[in-house]
Amino acid sequence: MSRIVYVNGNYLPEEEATVSIFDRGFLMADGVYEVTSVLDGKILEFPGHSARLERSLRELDMALPVTMDELLTIHRELVARNELVEGMIYLQVTRGNPGDRDFAFPDPAATPSTLVLFTQSKPGLADNPVAKKGIKVISIEDIRWGRRDIKTVQLLYPSMGKMMAKKAGADDAWMVEDGFVTEGTSNNVYIVKDGKIITRQLSQDILHGITRAAVLRYAAEAQMEVVERAFTIAEAQAADEAFFTSASAFVMPVVEIDGVALSEGKVGPVATRLREIYLDESRKTAI
Ligand code: PMP
């Protein structure tokens, strides 16, 4: 069975789905995206992802060609048509196809946004064995643009960071600006010291993770202490635990930073507990 994807109002087999070469997403990375996870055939954290999408679009003066109710229907339709049980739904909105290349934004009345969604099946996503082992990260300089709170499709530097990590025998890279960790290539990052969970405060320097918001809420409900402030790589290397969060990896333990093992390279209890709580709670609220 061919995967069914959504493009501008149509559900099509992936081989038949096309976008113009003049689309500003292709020419200018003029687009935003969201990734939501699916467990048991249900969508996780849809209200959070749709609210962030609306904010990204507003910040860039871009229109969504459908209503939020229609967007939820499209998500559900793709889950049903692809019989998706466990995996992700990727959504991208771009400033459309003005029919030529020009730096100035086109008139939105003449150039509708492009909307594309597709599913990615990932059986075993929740029961990922990597979460029991933890991952290794390296640190790299954060040289991205200054509006990382907008979820744009400009992902070249994070992709390069991922390749730098692979080359160094690690799994991911933590980005550092002015001596402090901003975030992972595609995730928000945390350390745990003396029972306190420490993660960088929200600003334009990082993406406001939907998983981050949920995990911090669950941590507070479980009487865990959370401190929102920046930290250095040296502080992270001296921490009891580290982990990251993202919609598709949930809560993922980090056991090594720039070659230094944390807690003798073993996954810690706080990350393990938060992963369990997050998976339980998000399954309950999935729609
Ligand atoms: N930061 C960056 C740079 C990301 O790309 C992502 C994932 N898209 C996140 C944080 C985590 O956000 P979320 O929990 O909403 O997936």
Side-chain angles (χ1 to χ4, degrees), residues 1-5 7 12-18 82 118-119:
M1 187 183 86
S2 180
R3 173 166 48 178
I4 301 298
V5 304
V7 187
L12 300 167
E14 62 180 65
E15 312 80 51
E16 291 171 32
T18 57
N82 292 291
F118 58 83
T119 55

Side-chain angles (χ1 to χ4, degrees), residues 21 27 40 202 247 274 280 284 287:
I21 64 158
L27 294 179
D40 316 320
L202 296 180
L274 282 174
D280 280 355
K284 274 189 224 156
I287 54 173

Side-chain angles (χ1 to χ4, degrees), residues 37-39 86-88 122-128 247-250 275 279:
S37 275
V38 171
L39 292 179
E86 206 157 322
M88 280 104 78
K122 300 267 179 199
L125 190 66
D127 206 18
N128 189 348
S248 53
F250 314 121
R275 184 178 174 90
L279 283 169

Side-chain angles (χ1 to χ4, degrees), residues 33 49 52 144 151 183-188 207 209-211 245-247:
Y33 75 109
H49 288 283
R52 183 173 63 190
R144 295 173 301 160
K151 198 165 168 60
E183 53 191 340
T185 57
S186 58
N187 47 69
N188 292 114
L207 187 76
I210 302 307
T211 321
T245 63
S246 74

Side-chain angles (χ1 to χ4, degrees), residues 29-280:
D30 188 356
V32 298
Y33 75 109
E34 283 295 330
V35 178
T36 48
S37 275
V38 171
L39 292 179
D40 316 320
K42 287 186 177 168
I43 302 152
L44 270 55
E45 302 285 343
F46 186 80
H49 288 283
S50 56
R52 183 173 63 190
L53 175 66
E54 276 183 323
R55 179 176 181 278
S56 293
L57 291 165
R58 196 166 55 241
E59 291 296 312
L60 296 176
D61 224 355
M62 206 185 288
L64 185 66
V66 294
T67 64
M68 277 303 161
D69 284 349
E70 285 166 340
L71 202 59
L72 177 57
T73 302
I74 298 166
H75 277 75
R76 286 179 160 155
E77 193 64 36
L78 284 178
V79 169
R81 289 190 190 220
N82 292 291
E83 297 172 6
L84 183 66
V85 178
E86 206 157 322
M88 280 104 78
I89 303 173
Y90 177 88
L91 167 166
Q92 179 168 328
V93 186
T94 75
R95 209 180 303 273
N97 160 27
D100 209 347
R101 183 175 181 271
D102 188 356
F103 276 75
F105 292 176
D107 175 358
T111 304
S113 304
T114 297
L115 176 62
V116 168
L117 288 95
F118 58 83
T119 55
Q120 288 186 285
S121 179
K122 300 267 179 199
L125 190 66
D127 206 18
N128 189 348
V130 179
K132 298 199 172 64
K133 240 175 71 203
I135 66 142
K136 298 175 182 176
V137 301
I138 58 163
S139 61
I140 61 171
E141 200 188 337
D142 195 341
I143 59 166
R144 295 173 301 160
W145 80 323
R147 290 303 307 274
R148 302 160 193 156
D149 56 315
I150 308 173
K151 198 165 168 60
T152 76
V153 297
Q154 305 173 76
L155 296 175
L156 184 54
Y157 188 66
S159 292
M160 289 169 72
K162 195 88 182 166
M163 294 314 293
M164 289 182 233
K166 278 191 169 204
K167 218 170 160 183
D171 306 289
D172 198 15
W174 281 15
M175 294 181 276
V176 176
E177 186 172 54
D178 300 330
F180 291 95
V181 178
T182 52
E183 53 191 340
T185 57
S186 58
N187 47 69
N188 292 114
V189 303
Y190 310 73
I191 57 173
V192 182
K193 186 71 179 175
D194 300 329
K196 284 194 188 75
I197 299 165
I198 304 162
T199 192
R200 194 179 174 106
Q201 69 281 7
L202 296 180
S203 71
Q204 295 186 352
D205 299 335
I206 62 169
L207 187 76
H208 301 190
I210 302 307
T211 321
R212 177 190 183 280
V215 164
L216 293 190
R217 202 169 61 240
Y218 299 142
E221 282 168 15
Q223 317 295 332
M224 297 175 175
E225 193 179 343
V226 176
V227 183
E228 294 184 64
R229 65 160 174 84
F231 56 83
T232 64
I233 288 291
E235 189 182 1
Q237 287 172 323
D240 301 325
E241 286 183 47
F243 61 93
F244 75 75
T245 63
S246 74
S248 53
F250 314 121
V251 177
M252 185 59 72
V254 171
V255 294
E256 191 182 302
I257 304 170
D258 281 340
V260 174
L262 275 70
S263 304
E264 291 154 8
K266 293 198 189 72
V267 166
V270 175
T272 303
R273 176 141 181 252
L274 282 174
R275 184 178 174 90
E276 280 168 13
I277 298 176
Y278 178 78
L279 283 169
D280 280 355

